[in-house]
Amino acid sequence: MIELFAGIRAFSLAAKWLGGIETVEAVEINPYCNEKMRKHYPDVSTHDDIRTYSPQIRADVIVGGSPCQDMSQSGKKAGIKGDRSRLWYEMLRVINEVKPRFVVWENVRGSVSAGGLKEVLRGLHKSGYHFDVEIIKASEVGAPHQRERVFVVAYAHGTVQAPQGEVFQSWSEQIRPQIERAKSFGIWQGSQLPDNGVSHGIPDRLSGLSALGNAIVPQCAAIALMRVQYLAAIAVKP
């Protein structure tokens, strides 16, 4: 897995919980996040700017939540072509360079009304991907806040095929048991996040709080990766 806009590495943590998915490269511009996360993921190659990032390894999965500020209800509402949210196109560039079998894109609920989701799906379709879309609330996995997020799980054309005699399941059919499984991880169970300088008095507390505020709840990331694992299980061998 390559994790773009990695932040606190929510997808990497979710992958560790689930097993079977290894992060090989990460891209994140925030120096605080990179400093802290290198301690927890020392073997993961980290690049600090997606605009100059050139993947050095092939990957089965690319995940990322491109900046949401221009699509958030509390933001400038400039849409996906705004100064920050346009970095989605850099993610699409990386997808086209790597050609992974699976892609996960995450963003705020406002991306639906702002047209960002439509543009993302258009780009994925042109790049040869089918996709599922679900909206997941952090509160559904036990968090004390709503934090609705749009998740797109995309898979390359011709990648998956239901076993003979079985029906290909939609994500909507799977998501309720996936949410229940994600709850079992607990909000901080197995998480390194309390050690990142937020809860132990390490300097730069505000940077830590900001990093967590920008992050998705790892349990929600796990739900999207469960869908990837299902698709991988029925994937046609490359």
Side-chain angles (χ1 to χ4, degrees):
M1 181 172 78
I2 294 174
E3 187 172 13
L4 307 177
F5 312 106
I8 64 168
R9 311 297 198 269
F11 278 102
S12 292
L13 179 57
K16 185 176 290 188
W17 284 338
L18 294 172
I21 302 174
E22 177 188 3
T23 303
V24 292
E25 289 189 348
V27 181
E28 172 55 49
I29 200 168
N30 185 306
Y32 176 87
C33 289
N34 286 335
E35 175 191 353
K36 300 304 178 185
M37 292 303 111
R38 282 191 182 102
K39 180 177 70 173
H40 300 300
Y41 302 96
D43 297 328
V44 176
S45 175
T46 301
H47 192 89
D48 64 2
D49 193 337
I50 194 170
R51 294 168 295 186
T52 58
Y53 170 61
S54 179
Q56 298 302 305
I57 194 167
R58 312 311 296 178
D60 298 297
V61 189
I62 289 180
V63 300
S66 51
C68 66
Q69 287 86 347
D70 298 309
M71 295 185 286
S72 171
Q73 294 298 320
S74 59
K76 296 181 179 179
K77 301 180 182 178
I80 200 165
K81 296 186 179 180
D83 290 343
R84 300 191 66 177
S85 292
R86 71 173 65 172
L87 289 176
W88 147 251
Y89 297 104
E90 293 292 343
M91 181 173 178
L92 185 60
R93 171 186 61 81
V94 174
I95 291 168
N96 286 322
E97 288 180 13
V98 176
K99 294 180 170 56
R101 293 194 295 166
F102 307 102
V103 174
V104 179
W105 180 79
E106 169 273 327
N107 221 277
V108 294
R109 175 68 180 264
S111 64
V112 178
S113 56
L117 174 62
K118 183 178 180 180
E119 182 66 14
V120 167
L121 298 183
R122 180 185 294 116
L124 290 170
H125 175 70
K126 287 183 177 180
S127 296
Y129 289 87
H130 300 292
F131 40 77
D132 300 305
V133 182
E134 289 289 342
I135 294 175
I136 304 172
K137 298 177 182 178
S139 58
E140 292 182 287
V141 294
H145 52 278
Q146 292 275 18
R147 191 171 291 203
E148 290 182 298
R149 288 293 185 269
V150 176
F151 284 87
V152 175
V153 174
Y155 48 98
H157 178 72
T159 294
V160 301
Q161 178 178 311
Q164 187 173 4
E166 295 186 21
V167 177
F168 177 78
Q169 287 186 297
S170 68
W171 195 8
S172 60
E173 293 175 295
Q174 296 179 332
I175 199 163
R176 185 49 50 188
Q178 289 173 346
I179 288 172
E180 292 305 311
R181 183 183 174 194
K183 283 182 183 179
S184 71
F185 295 130
I187 289 300
W188 297 112
Q189 179 180 333
S191 169
Q192 300 94 342
L193 300 183
D195 294 326
N196 74 354
V198 175
S199 61
H200 292 294
I202 298 175
D204 213 356
R205 177 180 174 82
L206 289 179
S207 294
L209 290 173
S210 176
L212 289 175
N214 288 332
I216 59 170
V217 173
Q219 283 78 2
C220 293
I223 293 168
L225 291 182
M226 286 181 213
R227 178 63 177 174
V228 169
Q229 288 185 321
Y230 165 75
L231 295 171
I234 62 172
V236 177
K237 293 188 182 300

